[in-house]
Amino acid sequence: MTKTIMQYEQLNKEINDYWTNRATGYSDVNQSELQGIQHQGWQKLINEAIENHFAGKTRGKINVLDVGAGPGFFSIILAELGYKVTAFDANEKMLAQAKQNAGLLKECITFVQGDAQAMPFSGDSFDIVASRNLTWVLPKPDLAYKEWCRVLKPRGLLINFDANWYNYLYDEDKKKSYTEDRENVAKQGYEDHYLTTDINAMEKIALQVPLSPIVRPAWDIEVLSNCGIKSIKVNTDINNRVLSEVEKLNYASSPYFMITAVKL
């Protein structure tokens, strides 16, 4: 086994161990979203993208792959709408939390464990691949995008939400803005969504994965263009639609971007 492969496998293990330890806490975050204004905001935003692309198609005939499903937030809100959903995650404990959070909807969701960078699905299997907060933490995000495009059907839709979460570790201006976020959160007496996690462990991982120093989504557009994807659209103004006031203050310096793209 080469050193590069060993490093890749070790980093994957470190990432998986982190999310195993955080599964319960992250599940609490998802449950809060399901009970808050985020539920309707995210659901409406994703559904708009799907219905604009698949106008007139019956929801129950649209296969959606939720990559990096975690405790199941996207899988649940999509299943509520009647889509045929597969929740896919590398972490066993996260999928267990997803099943629990889904309640009766778990009967409408297929749960599969595996690596987003090497998925166990046949090509042209899904109408939609959707993801949130995953690409940034992958050791090989370019391979992940290739895999997602591979399993998409022709004319299939890719929807990815992410942000430049840990760019502040490399950019002084971003560091200043990040520090201001922490100060503003403290002034308002809100929970700090960074500091209430194991920030040291997360920053250690962020320093090892390739996307932390890269300003996105320009990188994503280039990679997707090389994967047989067209009609790539980016929306960088979605925070007001999907986040609570506490989240807006926490993540002011790292706003979400939304990528939608179509497979040739």
Side-chain angles (χ1 to χ4, degrees):
M1 185 180 295
T2 67
K3 182 178 180 181
T4 301
I5 294 174
M6 290 176 64
Q7 290 173 333
Y8 169 71
E9 292 185 349
Q10 177 58 38
L11 180 53
N12 259 345
K13 182 180 183 304
E14 187 174 340
I15 293 168
N16 191 60
D17 288 346
Y18 172 86
W19 291 112
T20 295
N21 292 333
R22 197 179 162 198
T24 302
Y26 197 47
S27 181
D28 291 342
V29 172
N30 273 198
Q31 290 176 44
S32 177
E33 289 179 304
L34 288 168
Q35 296 164 14
I37 62 170
Q38 302 96 315
H39 187 151
Q40 183 178 2
W42 282 107
Q43 190 176 61
K44 185 176 180 180
L45 181 62
I46 299 171
N47 196 48
E48 284 175 2
I50 296 173
E51 292 197 331
N52 285 340
H53 185 69
F54 293 100
K57 188 169 183 178
T58 303
R59 290 178 182 177
K61 294 183 178 180
I62 297 176
N63 291 303
V64 183
L65 177 64
D66 177 14
V67 186
F73 180 69
F74 268 15
S75 294
I76 292 166
I77 64 176
L78 288 166
E80 285 176 341
L81 291 169
Y83 294 107
K84 188 176 180 180
V85 180
T86 298
F88 183 77
D89 200 278
N91 191 277
E92 180 180 5
K93 194 170 181 181
M94 282 288 189
L95 285 176
Q97 292 289 334
K99 290 179 183 178
Q100 180 176 320
N101 291 338
L104 295 177
L105 282 172
K106 69 181 179 182
E107 303 301 327
C108 307
I109 302 170
T110 300
F111 298 88
V112 180
Q113 185 178 358
D115 187 349
Q117 301 150 117
M119 296 192 292
F121 306 111
S122 301
D124 303 342
S125 295
F126 296 94
D127 299 292
I128 298 168
V129 172
S131 186
R132 180 179 70 154
N133 297 343
L134 176 64
T135 35
W136 77 268
V137 77
L138 294 173
K140 295 185 178 181
D142 53 335
L143 290 185
Y145 267 144
K146 288 178 182 177
E147 277 289 273
W148 302 0
C149 294
R150 178 183 67 80
V151 303
L152 266 179
K153 296 178 182 178
R155 292 290 302 161
L157 180 66
L158 185 149
I159 309 173
N160 188 24
F161 298 93
D162 212 346
N164 292 293
W165 295 116
Y166 290 89
N167 196 237
Y168 68 81
L169 295 171
Y170 294 88
D171 184 291
E172 285 301 317
D173 288 336
K174 287 286 187 180
K175 180 67 173 181
K176 181 180 178 181
S177 297
Y178 167 80
T179 301
E180 289 174 354
D181 287 351
R182 311 282 64 78
E183 293 171 351
N184 290 334
V185 168
K187 286 177 183 177
Q188 293 297 324
Y190 292 153
E191 179 182 64
D192 193 309
H193 291 182
Y194 279 87
L195 304 185
T196 53
T197 64
D198 188 345
I199 187 64
N200 292 329
M202 197 71 264
E203 286 186 346
K204 180 184 176 184
I205 290 171
L207 287 167
Q208 297 178 76
V209 294
L211 289 184
S212 297
I214 296 175
V215 178
R216 302 167 61 200
W219 176 90
D220 304 72
I221 295 170
E222 181 179 357
V223 171
L224 287 171
S225 297
N226 293 329
C227 292
I229 289 287
K230 65 176 183 178
S231 302
I232 302 171
K233 298 178 181 178
V234 175
N235 185 345
T236 58
D237 187 26
I238 67 170
N239 276 21
N240 285 333
R241 290 195 60 179
V242 299
L243 300 186
S244 68
E245 292 304 315
V246 175
E247 289 172 324
K248 289 175 189 176
L249 205 59
N250 264 276
Y251 308 132
S253 63
S254 51
Y256 269 106
F257 56 81
M258 174 185 183
I259 297 174
T260 54
V262 181
K263 180 177 178 178
L264 288 172

